[in-house]
Amino acid sequence: MLKAATLAAVLLIGLAPTVPARACGDGEAPTACDDPSPNGFASWMLGRVGRALAADRAQALRDFTDGARGFRTADTYVFCVGPDGVMSAHPNPILKGHDVRDLHDRTGNYFIRTMMETAKPGQISVIRYLFPKPGSTVEEPKTTYYTKAGDQTCAVGVYDADVAAPETATADGRVAQLRQRLDGAIPTSARADWTAFLEALNAQGAEKAAAIAKARRDLTAAATALDKAGRP
């Protein structure tokens, strides 16, 4: 079981850089992702999650992890936990595949356990807790919307800072906002070209992420070799 004490280190080294932010996707999202209800976008995204899992569970979990097919925008991503407490989908490759029921924030909030115990099919529930943004170890307030989809507890979270001051959030967040506005303005006749353009950007980002991950592995190997060489 992944211990909560290791969470900060896991988040620092385990997350690749944020993939390029996606537009909300294929004309199916609320216009410009600007649903007036507080959890409008999360509700839409979780609806897509349920349909994707029902259609092809294995592919859906891969898409959630990779942020493919519109399942990620800026710091907002999908994650799922199986009935055994193992993280079945998450952008952090170290969290994914581990029992995460013991994860909790500095206030002692065991948010994963709570979600697993209270998630219900066809119902979106809300939980608040502290959790670092991708690539950071600083816990920030986060509101997460979750539901039960098959045997999976799946969720979409939104960081309070991004909601309160999106213009000062991450650079990826600002790019996401621009793409979201464009997504609502693209005419139907140009939708295919727009989607192809976004897919090309995502592919480019994936290549960069892979290169950075390799560089990290190489640096770790070099540091280990130097450490061994310096021992008596």
Side-chain angles (χ1 to χ4, degrees):
M1 182 175 288
L2 187 67
K3 298 298 182 182
T6 67
L7 177 58
V10 164
L11 290 166
L12 180 63
I13 66 174
L15 273 174
T18 304
V19 297
R22 295 292 305 274
C24 288
D26 303 338
E28 186 182 353
T31 302
C33 298
D34 197 19
D35 191 310
S37 64
N39 66 333
F41 177 65
S43 299
W44 171 80
M45 181 67 81
L46 287 174
R48 292 193 67 214
V49 165
R51 293 193 295 274
L53 285 169
D56 188 332
R57 182 177 181 277
Q59 182 63 53
L61 293 175
R62 287 194 294 270
D63 288 344
F64 303 158
T65 295
D66 297 338
R69 305 178 194 275
F71 283 109
R72 184 167 183 178
T73 61
D75 293 323
T76 299
Y77 53 86
V78 177
F79 65 91
C80 295
V81 181
D84 54 359
V86 172
M87 190 77 79
S88 53
H90 197 285
N92 187 331
I94 295 181
L95 285 178
K96 183 178 179 297
H98 288 273
D99 189 327
V100 292
R101 286 172 290 187
D102 275 351
L103 287 183
H104 60 274
D105 63 18
R106 65 173 179 264
T107 70
N109 184 358
Y110 286 80
F111 48 90
I112 295 293
R113 289 185 186 177
T114 299
M115 285 190 279
M116 291 183 65
E117 292 170 358
T118 58
K120 297 179 181 179
Q123 175 180 313
I124 294 178
S125 301
V126 183
I127 187 170
R128 289 178 54 80
Y129 53 89
L130 303 174
F131 200 77
K133 284 188 174 184
S136 172
T137 59
V138 179
E139 291 185 339
E140 299 188 31
K142 185 175 186 179
T143 300
T144 292
Y145 305 91
Y146 63 98
T147 190
K148 194 68 171 289
D151 65 349
Q152 301 290 307
T153 299
C154 294
V156 176
V158 180
Y159 289 93
D160 290 8
D162 293 348
V163 174
E167 70 281 0
T168 59
T170 65
D172 281 332
R174 291 190 290 274
V175 171
Q177 288 182 331
L178 174 59
R179 292 186 183 177
Q180 288 164 8
R181 289 197 295 271
L182 289 172
D183 188 70
I186 295 294
T188 302
S189 60
R191 177 66 57 183
D193 290 338
W194 173 241
T195 301
F197 170 69
L198 293 177
E199 292 292 349
L201 287 182
N202 278 350
Q204 185 181 56
E207 291 175 2
K208 290 180 180 178
I212 292 174
K214 182 179 184 302
R216 284 178 174 172
R217 291 194 297 271
D218 291 345
L219 285 172
T220 300
T224 301
L226 287 172
D227 182 59
K228 291 180 178 178
R231 292 176 185 172

